[in-house]
Amino acid sequence: MNRKSFSMAVAALALLGAAPLYLDNPYYIHMIGTIMIYAILLFGLDIVVGYTGQVSLGHAGLFGVGSYTAGVMFFKLGAPLWLIILASIGLTAGFGALLALPALRVTGPYLAMVTLAFGTIIQILINEMDFLTEGPLGIKVPKPDLFGEKLTEHGFYWLVFGLMALSLVVVDRILKSQLGRAFEALRGSPVASDCMGVSVYRYKVYAFVISAGFAGLAGCLYAYSEQYISPNTYNFELTVLFLLAVIMGGRKTRTGALLGAAIIVILPKLLDDLEMFRQVSSALAVLVLIGAVIGVVKKTTTPRAMAIPVVGTIALAAFSFWLQSITDWRLSIFGLMILFVVYYLQDGIVGFFRKLFFRRTALGGDYHGVDLGKDAITVASNAAHSAAGSDLLVAKGVLMQFGGLKALNNVDLRIQRGTIHGLIGPNGSGKSTMMNVLTGIYVPTAGEIVFAGQTVVGRTSSDIALSGIARTFQNVQLFGEMTALQNVQVGLHHTFESNLIDVALHTPRYKREDQAGVERGLGLLHFVGLGDLANEEARNLPYGKQRLLEIARALALDPQLLLLDEPAAGLTAPDIKELIAIIRKIRDHGITVILIEHHMDVVMSICDNVSVLDFGQKIAEGKPAEVQADEKVIEAYLGAPAA
Ligand code: ADP
Ligand code: MG
């Protein structure tokens, strides 16, 4: 965040915090309080939905767990406020871990169904366990005591405000740290996350647990705010409303969460009052129109793209004046607005305005005092100690069967330390399959693989990656919505020892690790010639640069062995030259390379040894020149016996 938006955020928060001083009406104070409580939940929900890209329809259930933890602890035990808050967060986080379990197995619509069932079960449990929860009767919860005195309405407002501001800061710090990058990487490419040593399994659970913790805090505050809780509140409608709030406000932004919370609290009330509905829809139409005009003038958008939002909001405003009574139309208007946002404002309202006013989403781009002269490749440190020439990787009798197809058939491979080993063969001969087997994406049907004295077979991809095998992918697997630098920083995840507390408090340890990460990340980008594109989103890079970025990201893992799957595919001739130089430099740093490549000139010029696959079998091996002259190889490539 730059200084200007930071001061704007502080000013907005100050205005919000001071609300009881200029707003006399207790009705509005309670309403803003509710918005802030929902916002706390939405900050957390956004971690799961916006960052990891999972769907959760279980968050109303988690909200309920938080409320009932507070209600029961007050009603049965008369526990003090601070204990109740901590218990609500902790217990709900535990339920979050439960909710994460299905997310490890299913995604998309199936996950939506399972999480929905989770929420329903919680609601039923609250209803049925009346020995604890008083069942459908509900529990009365008076405003809490703080420092021995009962909080007034205003006092409670400030408590909620304080906790909301604290949540805002903590969530923001989490999402900008290595944890947030790990969450976002899951969305971008789960396979690549695992191969960068970021365990998809672990970080999905983390995301749900942290998200649930915030839902628990929100639920707890909600119980005190309403002063009465009953099972009906935590229903299907509420959970859908939460999800819509994230989508409408805009995912991956805290402003969006606050805005989304405001919408779901205010909109139902707005649709009860025709006069207010007319004013607000007119104001909205004017805002969108102004936004569109500015956008078109600044050339951040086209008149065509703006036509539908502008016409839509003007139509809504016109419709509001034509209406005689709003009650019959409530649900239809609500539904239409939702459809409109989902179709035309896919980045939500905040995303929409951001795109109009800033050509690019705001990125923290001030890297003061970063020393780019430093050599980014510290890789060799562990590799260089071992004698060059010895075997780094030995595969014996590897068989990989897909149904009846033997994609790899009894393949042996020896890779010597410090060499570039070419792996070639016609399309479909099993080269990529070999890489997937070496990196744990596939478990071979038979055979053994030993890397640096450790067996590989049966270990997880992230574990193998952390032990020193890095890779790139034939079909580029970048984290598209993340910047080039952030992509590399995901590769540097293993250099972080700081935990959630370090991240939340910005301890010296975290600051040190983060700074070091930025420096090395930029250094690695320079190494592959992408230094000027650090803040560009990976999906916006040209194809050739994406391939180079994958190499930089792989190097961030400090690998002993680097697997490159057709790195020159789609590159122009000058780019290929540069690539060859880069691969040579990587080898000179002591990193062993396995190179799959179709460009024979590349293979012949830089490989020390070459193995040739055909129909899953190794048909030749040796020095490049020997292999090139081998009859079987010529036959495999040309499809006919050599003359
Ligand atoms: P290459 O990289 O040498 O072009 P691949 O290793 O991608 O070849 O594929 C080797 C063979 O294995 C191909 O026939 C391919 O269709 C098959 N194959 C690869 N992965 C799978 C899979 N997950 N399921 C079924 N068949 C696969
Ligand atoms: Mg391939």
Side-chain angles (χ1 to χ4, degrees):
M1 192 185 286
N2 59 31
R3 185 168 282 160
K4 198 169 133 202
S5 42
F6 179 76
S7 17
M8 264 167 65
V10 169
L13 278 181
L15 207 62
L16 192 60
L21 303 180
Y22 55 80
L23 269 184
D24 245 353
N25 191 334
Y27 175 78
Y28 286 125
I29 293 299
H30 180 259
M31 191 167 85
I32 301 176
T34 311
I35 291 174
M36 293 193 294
I37 291 172
Y38 280 179
I40 294 175
L41 180 132
L42 296 179
F43 293 151
L45 182 58
D46 193 28
I47 296 178
V48 167
V49 175
Y51 286 80
T52 71
Q54 311 286 309
V55 194
S56 169
L57 286 171
H59 269 64
L62 294 172
F63 190 58
V65 172
S67 287
Y68 268 88
T69 308
V72 171
M73 280 183 75
F74 168 79
F75 186 67
K76 300 272 181 198
L77 306 172
L81 177 66
W82 65 269
L83 187 63
I84 288 184
I85 290 180
L86 289 181
S88 302
I89 296 173
L91 191 70
T92 314
F95 274 83
L98 281 182
L99 182 59
L101 293 181
L104 300 173
R105 306 203 140 261
V106 294
T107 52
Y110 300 101
L111 181 60
M113 296 289 291
V114 182
T115 54
L116 181 61
F118 173 90
T120 312
I121 290 171
I122 288 191
Q123 202 194 352
I124 293 172
L125 282 180
I126 294 175
N127 221 334
E128 297 297 321
M129 292 169 62
D130 45 11
F131 58 95
L132 200 63
T133 64
E134 303 296 305
L137 281 180
I139 299 177
K140 277 211 179 86
V141 190
K143 285 278 181 298
D145 291 348
L146 196 64
F147 308 120
E149 263 187 66
K150 199 173 168 74
L151 278 177
T152 58
E153 283 290 335
H154 285 185
F156 182 72
Y157 179 92
W158 280 312
L159 175 72
V160 170
F161 172 76
L163 289 172
M164 188 279 294
L166 187 67
S167 306
L168 178 70
V169 172
V170 170
V171 167
D172 207 59
R173 286 184 170 184
I174 291 175
L175 289 170
K176 287 189 175 133
S177 72
Q178 81 277 14
L179 299 172
R181 289 192 292 268
F183 296 151
E184 222 180 331
L186 301 191
R187 180 191 185 103
S189 166
V191 179
S193 305
D194 264 328
C195 289
M196 289 300 116
V198 175
S199 161
V200 169
Y201 195 88
R202 180 183 307 165
Y203 283 93
K204 257 189 198 170
V205 176
Y206 269 16
F208 272 92
V209 167
I210 294 175
S211 177
F214 286 102
L217 174 60
C220 165
L221 293 174
Y222 186 77
Y224 285 117
S225 168
E226 296 300 305
Q227 309 201 40
Y228 168 72
I229 50 176
S230 71
N232 287 342
T233 311
Y234 310 96
N235 57 14
F236 173 67
E237 225 177 288
L238 185 66
T239 213
V240 172
L241 223 48
F242 284 152
L243 204 55
L244 279 172
V246 170
I247 296 170
M248 289 215 270
R251 62 185 188 88
K252 298 211 291 185
T253 110
R254 260 57 72 203
T255 323
L258 274 162
L259 190 66
I263 291 173
I264 60 171
V265 171
I266 296 172
L267 199 59
K269 297 191 193 334
L270 189 64
L271 293 179
D272 277 341
D273 182 344
L274 185 57
E275 207 35 58
M276 195 143 78
F277 178 59
R278 284 177 178 163
Q279 288 167 8
V280 171
S281 54
S282 310
L284 185 72
V286 172
L287 265 181
V288 171
L289 188 63
I290 294 175
V293 170
I294 294 179
V296 169
V297 171
K298 286 177 98 179
K299 292 211 165 45
T300 49
T301 180
T302 60
R304 223 182 122 154
M306 284 298 98
I308 290 173
V310 169
V311 171
T313 44
I314 291 177
L316 183 73
F319 177 69
S320 72
F321 284 96
W322 173 80
L323 271 183
Q324 296 302 314
S325 137
I326 201 167
T327 33
D328 309 339
W329 291 87
R330 263 188 64 147
L331 277 180
S332 323
I333 296 173
F334 203 24
L336 275 175
M337 287 172 130
I338 290 164
L339 267 183
F340 178 71
V341 168
V342 171
Y343 271 108
Y344 294 105
L345 304 179
Q346 285 188 349
D347 295 326
I349 297 170
V350 170
F352 172 78
F353 283 106
R354 228 186 228 173
K355 226 193 273 169
L356 283 183
F357 297 128
F358 311 101
R359 204 167 269 269
R360 214 161 281 157
T361 39
L363 299 165
D366 36 357
Y367 307 117
H368 300 302
V370 170
D371 178 11
L372 292 178
K374 251 167 109 172
D375 194 352
I377 308 199
T378 59
V379 227
S381 52
N382 46 358
H385 292 306
S386 339
S390 62
D391 288 334
L392 177 62
L393 181 126
V394 179
K396 273 196 197 126
V398 175
L399 173 70
M400 184 73 234
Q401 207 154 350
F402 296 112
L405 173 78
K406 286 179 176 162
L408 290 174
N409 192 355
N410 204 18
V411 177
D412 296 337
L413 210 56
R414 299 182 87 88
I415 310 293
Q416 285 174 4
R417 273 181 208 277
T419 60
I420 299 175
H421 194 111
L423 190 59
I424 63 170
N427 274 328
S429 56
K431 306 179 298 292
S432 296
T433 304
M434 190 69 195
M435 292 221 163
N436 290 337
V437 166
L438 294 182
T439 51
I441 292 173
Y442 299 150
V443 179
T445 319
E448 53 185 278
I449 301 166
V450 176
F451 166 72
Q454 273 183 298
T455 179
V456 164
V457 176
R459 283 160 63 205
T460 61
S461 292
S462 62
D463 193 22
I464 294 170
L466 293 175
S467 74
I469 303 184
R471 68 170 294 174
T472 65
F473 298 83
Q474 185 175 351
N475 314 315
V476 176
Q477 294 278 342
L478 287 168
F479 311 123
E481 289 185 4
M482 302 172 80
T483 64
L485 177 61
Q486 287 171 332
N487 268 271
V488 179
Q489 282 175 301
V490 174
L492 290 168
H493 191 88
H494 66 105
T495 61
F496 283 83
E497 278 176 4
S498 41
N499 53 31
L500 195 58
I501 309 276
D502 290 306
V503 168
L505 299 180
H506 272 192
T507 57
R509 169 160 82 164
Y510 169 74
K511 282 191 183 159
R512 194 175 58 239
E513 288 176 347
D514 190 53
Q515 174 74 10
V518 172
E519 283 177 18
R520 269 206 65 200
L522 288 173
L524 282 164
L525 286 176
H526 272 272
F527 177 75
V528 297
L530 296 179
D532 299 335
L533 296 169
N535 283 339
E536 193 64 61
E537 277 182 27
R539 59 180 171 185
N540 296 337
L541 294 175
Y543 189 63
K545 305 238 182 278
Q546 293 194 0
R547 290 202 163 275
L548 292 174
L549 178 56
E550 268 206 329
I551 295 178
R553 184 181 65 179
L555 288 173
L557 205 56
D558 293 341
Q560 298 188 56
L561 178 62
L562 175 64
L563 313 182
L564 300 174
D565 198 344
E566 303 200 15
L571 261 59
T572 58
D575 283 347
I576 291 180
K577 238 186 196 159
E578 210 174 298
L579 177 75
I580 292 177
I582 289 173
I583 297 177
R584 279 219 178 91
K585 265 198 267 175
I586 292 173
R587 191 235 345 244
D588 294 344
H589 276 87
I591 302 174
T592 311
V593 178
I594 301 183
L595 174 68
I596 296 181
E597 195 41 74
H598 274 304
H599 292 78
M600 274 313 130
D601 42 341
V602 176
V603 175
M604 294 305 145
S605 66
I606 58 174
C607 288
D608 300 296
N609 298 299
V610 178
S611 303
V612 189
L613 290 178
D614 191 24
F615 291 113
Q617 280 178 313
K618 193 168 78 180
I619 56 168
E621 195 164 56
K623 297 283 164 214
E626 297 164 22
V627 167
Q628 202 172 19
D630 190 301
E631 274 185 23
K632 273 197 261 171
V633 177
I634 296 170
E635 184 186 323
Y637 269 92
L638 298 179

